Amino acid sequence: MSGEVAQPLTTVPEIILKKRKSNEELALRRREQLEQRNFRQNKSKQEFIKKPEDFVKEFRYREVDLVQMKNRLKRKRSAIETTNPQLLLVIRIQGKNDMHPAVRKNLYSLNLRRIFNAVFVRADEAMLEKLQRVEPYVTYGYPNLKNVKELIYKKGYAKINKQRVPLTDNNLIEEALAKYNIICIEDIVHEIASTGKYFKEAASFLWPFTLNKPEVGLKGVKARFQDGGDTGDRGDKINELISKMN
């Protein structure tokens, strides 16, 4: 036994020890991050699950929305000159959580599927009735030529084969609308602003405008504009709102 040579102890280089410790700390951090992420996801799922009373509340809100729509249709409208219909810009300013499907159908028929979408329409009797149906969710008024032109040039897109196409090439306009004597973007501006003979074709060619959320100008109130709220007819004052959203 005394003749055996003592074997040296096995040592691990310090750099490997440091690296091993760093990897362990990194693994612990990743595990903590994963646990926190799973916790947040589970919490959001729990919050998303609706209780029975939530469904009842939504149903009641939507039924109230339907009743209010029917009451609005009974309200007397001011007479308009149908021989020379004026141009309206309609802007959607409210969501759809408490909206009845019948109201949503009218809103979608105006191509106002998203909040802050806007479209040009003619102010005839049929259109005013439709606007009454969706009044708590939109505001509208008579845009001036300056705002019509700026909207089309700045935020205008064409609807071609159900695709949103930038209005950067007059050849696209001519190809789609030449049979209506509309061959350039300036012709579209003129036809829209004047509610001309081919207004419907020009307006249908345009994709709904996507406006910016205004920093000021909207209070988030469904009351009519004349009563101190946001919705309904603004008349010429729609131009102030357009300037804030364009």
Side-chain angles (χ1 to χ4, degrees):
M1 295 293 292
S2 59
E4 292 182 359
V5 179
Q7 297 295 326
L9 296 174
T10 303
T11 60
V12 181
E14 183 178 1
I15 187 170
I16 295 178
L17 290 174
K18 288 182 178 179
K19 186 174 181 181
R20 193 177 291 170
K21 183 179 179 181
S22 176
N23 289 338
E24 290 175 353
E25 291 175 349
L26 179 61
L28 286 173
R29 283 200 303 272
R30 286 179 175 173
R31 184 181 300 170
E32 290 177 358
Q33 291 173 353
L34 181 60
E35 289 175 352
Q36 291 175 0
R37 187 184 306 160
N38 290 336
F39 174 77
R40 287 195 298 268
Q41 289 177 348
N42 291 335
K43 186 178 179 181
S44 63
K45 287 179 181 178
Q46 291 174 358
E47 292 175 349
F48 182 74
I49 296 174
K50 292 184 179 180
K51 299 177 181 178
E53 53 266 33
D54 294 329
F55 288 100
V56 173
K57 189 182 294 185
E58 282 187 9
F59 176 79
R60 287 177 178 170
Y61 282 151
R62 289 173 182 174
E63 289 304 302
V64 168
D65 191 40
L66 179 63
V67 172
Q68 290 176 342
M69 182 189 76
K70 292 178 179 178
N71 290 337
R72 288 194 301 272
L73 292 175
K74 297 176 184 177
R75 195 171 65 209
K76 185 178 179 180
R77 295 193 304 270
S78 56
I80 62 169
E81 181 58 55
T82 56
T83 57
N84 185 25
Q86 292 179 279
L87 174 68
L88 286 175
L89 180 75
V90 185
I91 307 173
R92 178 173 174 178
I93 57 172
Q94 293 286 352
K96 62 178 182 179
N97 290 338
D98 54 355
M99 189 187 304
H100 191 275
V103 180
R104 185 186 300 115
K105 183 178 179 181
N106 281 277
L107 198 61
Y108 282 11
S109 71
L110 290 166
N111 286 325
L112 297 174
R113 293 181 171 270
R114 296 182 179 181
I115 191 169
F116 302 136
N117 274 175
V119 292
F120 290 118
V121 299
R122 266 195 179 117
D124 55 26
E125 288 291 341
M127 180 54 63
L128 292 181
E129 180 179 325
K130 182 175 288 189
L131 291 176
Q132 273 191 317
R133 294 175 183 271
V134 299
E135 189 176 64
Y137 305 95
V138 302
T139 188
Y140 53 91
Y142 305 108
N144 57 33
L145 177 59
K146 176 178 178 291
N147 277 324
V148 171
K149 191 170 185 176
E150 287 185 357
L151 274 174
I152 294 175
Y153 272 93
K154 187 176 178 180
K155 294 188 177 293
Y157 284 82
K159 187 191 301 180
I160 299 176
N161 296 326
K162 298 183 179 181
Q163 299 296 317
R164 187 170 179 258
V165 181
L167 283 175
T168 55
D169 189 352
N170 283 332
N171 290 327
L172 293 174
I173 300 173
E174 184 175 2
E175 184 177 347
L177 301 175
K179 57 185 175 182
Y180 307 117
N181 296 321
I182 300 173
I183 61 173
C184 63
I185 193 168
E186 192 60 38
D187 288 343
I188 292 179
V189 171
H190 172 75
E191 199 67 24
I192 294 292
S194 64
T195 59
K197 180 179 179 181
Y198 300 112
F199 170 85
K200 181 179 178 181
E201 288 76 12
S204 298
F205 177 74
L206 293 174
W207 193 275
F209 300 98
T210 302
L211 304 184
N212 302 317
K213 181 180 180 180
E215 294 182 3
V216 293
L218 292 177
K219 306 170 187 175
V221 181
K222 282 188 176 181
R224 291 193 300 167
F225 181 73
Q226 295 93 328
D227 300 328
D230 292 330
T231 68
D233 186 7
R234 290 175 180 250
D236 295 334
K237 291 187 178 179
I238 191 70
N239 291 290
E240 299 174 12
L241 185 60
I242 296 172
S243 299
K244 296 172 183 176
M245 301 181 74
N246 191 4

